């Protein structure tokens, strides 16, 4: 019993640091938040982040994976299904392979999901070690491969340059889902907003890519 207690305490401290950093990164910006600020807000000593994670970038990786691992796994499974099919996917199929897991996240973890998406928007265009560590670069490449299958007449270079615009448009819009209007969207309103957003992304991607 005595041997397991420090591990349990350490795990609890890691969780506290991750959730604290998540909140600060989402509200203040990743680059604006210092390690000192995370430690203080989590009620920990000045060396806590370095002890449990090693660096701020490693803490960012942990924040991205804490909520995002399940989203990435879901996207990956949907891409596997598209890749294994002999039928050419529709562009909407590829878009939904990316976007549906985000809706499921928000339906299950609304507050943390929105925070996580806000952080993803901040770091997704940067060549940060934290982003590379999460496997997002490989996932993005697999998504583009399915876009190429869906649009075989579109030059790959055009897809490489313009597909990220459609993805970022989706993420930025979804990150502001609870900033629309004066009241928070209900579950049904969230689903309706999401469906409208998907239609917008599919239409915009078709216009840019074909």
């Amino acid at each position: 019993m005595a041997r397991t207690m420090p591990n349990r305490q350490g795990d609890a401290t890691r969780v506290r640091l991750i959730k604290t950093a998540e909140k600060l990164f989402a509200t203040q910006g990743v680059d604006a938040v210092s390690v000192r600020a995370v430690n203080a807000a989590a009620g920990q000593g000045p060396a806590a982040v370095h002890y449990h994670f090693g660096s701020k970038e490693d803490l960012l990786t942990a924040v991205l994976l804490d909520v995002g691992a399940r989203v990435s796994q879901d996207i990956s499974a949907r891409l596997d299904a598209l890749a294994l099919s002999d039928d050419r996917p529709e562009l909407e199929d590829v878009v939904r392979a990316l976007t549906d897991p985000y809706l499921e996240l928000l339906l299950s973890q609304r507050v943390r999901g929105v925070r996580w998406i806000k952080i993803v928007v901040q770091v997704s265009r940067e060549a940060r070690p934290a982003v590379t560590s999460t496997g997002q670069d490989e996932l993005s490449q697999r998504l583009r491969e399915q876009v190429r299958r869906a649009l075989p007449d579109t030059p790959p270079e055009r897809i490489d340059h313009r597909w990220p615009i459609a993805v970022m448009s989706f993420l930025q819009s979804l990150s502001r889902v609870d900033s629309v209007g004066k009241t928070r969207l209900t579950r049904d309103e969230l689903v309706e907003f999401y469906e409208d957003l998907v239609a917008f992304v599919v239409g915009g991607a078709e216009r840019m890519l074909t």
Side-chain angles (χ1 to χ4, degrees), residues 9-141:
Q9 292 175 343
D11 290 344
T13 299
R14 283 178 59 88
V15 170
R16 187 178 301 113
L17 289 168
I18 287 172
K19 290 185 176 180
T20 300
E22 174 191 284
K23 183 175 182 179
L24 294 176
F25 290 164
T27 57
Q28 300 179 24
V30 174
D31 292 332
V33 175
S34 66
V35 168
R36 181 190 298 270
V38 174
N39 287 327
Q44 301 298 311
V49 167
H50 290 297
Y51 176 79
H52 289 281
F53 299 97
S55 69
K56 178 181 173 180
E57 197 71 15
D58 292 329
L59 173 61
L60 175 59
T61 299
V63 169
L64 292 171
L65 288 173
D66 190 54
V67 172
R70 181 177 175 181
V71 175
S72 296
Q73 290 166 3
D74 196 353
I75 294 171
S76 181
R78 292 167 186 267
L79 290 176
D80 285 343
L82 291 178
L84 289 172
S85 175
D86 293 332
D87 296 330
R88 180 167 63 86
E90 298 292 333
L91 183 58
E92 182 174 350
D93 297 332
V94 183
V95 170
R96 286 189 177 275
L98 167 67
T99 62
D100 281 358
Y102 282 84
L103 175 62
E104 293 177 9
L105 169 64
L106 292 183
L107 292 176
S108 62
Q109 300 185 66
R110 180 73 163 266
V111 174
R112 294 197 68 197
V114 170
R115 289 175 183 165
W116 177 75
I117 294 169
K118 288 180 178 179
I119 297 169
V120 170
V121 168
Q122 292 181 54
V123 303
S124 59
R125 288 183 173 179
E126 304 174 8
R128 302 187 70 129
V131 176
T132 301
S133 298
T134 63
Q136 288 305 302
D137 292 342
E138 178 184 356
L139 204 60
S140 296
Q141 180 60 37

